[in-house]
Amino acid sequence: MSGVIKFSEERLMKVLQAPVISEKATMVAEKNEQIVFRVLPDATKPEIKAAVELLFKVEVLSVQTVNRQGKQKRSGRFNGRRNHTKRAFVCLKPGQEINFVEEAK
């Protein structure tokens, strides 16, 4: 094997759902130089890496993932649950950065 895995570009466009903007995500970004994304529940680490490199034209050092259980919620007498989500903590190579403000314009 050559070490390079091919993914369909259509699939890679769907893997990343949204960046996570929260206090914890901001703290992690400053301390560990990582960016947090909400991703598809069946996304793999190599897919996430390829998607970030394709969409943002940066080099990815590593990817850690976290499966988050949906919270139990109650509305009146009915119990419900929010959807489970998956987050990816993407570590970029030194000197690389993603600026979401500039990307949006």
Side-chain angles (χ1 to χ4, degrees):
M1 289 196 32
S2 63
V4 176
I5 304 170
K6 290 284 188 184
F7 298 106
S8 77
E9 198 167 312
E10 185 179 340
R11 165 74 177 168
L12 293 180
M13 293 293 189
K14 295 177 183 175
V15 168
L16 299 179
Q17 294 180 324
V20 176
I21 309 298
S22 66
E23 270 187 59
K24 183 178 181 181
T26 306
M27 186 180 68
V28 165
E30 290 173 0
K31 185 178 177 189
N32 300 340
E33 296 180 7
Q34 291 179 322
I35 292 118
V36 185
F37 292 99
R38 201 172 72 233
V39 296
L40 293 177
D42 61 342
T44 62
K45 289 181 182 184
E47 275 182 331
I48 295 166
K49 178 180 178 178
V52 171
E53 288 179 346
L54 174 74
L55 293 173
F56 298 105
K57 309 288 189 276
V58 293
E59 293 182 52
V60 175
L61 193 61
S62 66
V63 176
Q64 288 89 33
T65 58
V66 177
N67 286 310
R68 301 182 72 215
Q69 299 300 310
K71 289 184 175 181
Q72 295 290 331
K73 289 293 175 181
R74 188 179 153 146
S75 177
R77 64 189 176 113
F78 301 104
N79 288 326
R81 184 187 50 76
R82 290 185 182 165
N83 293 336
H84 300 314
T85 59
K86 186 173 190 175
R87 288 185 175 188
F89 292 78
V90 178
C91 185
L92 301 177
K93 289 190 177 173
Q96 304 275 319
E97 76 173 22
I98 296 174
N99 189 347
F100 292 110
V101 177
E102 292 298 320
E103 297 288 332
K105 291 181 181 179

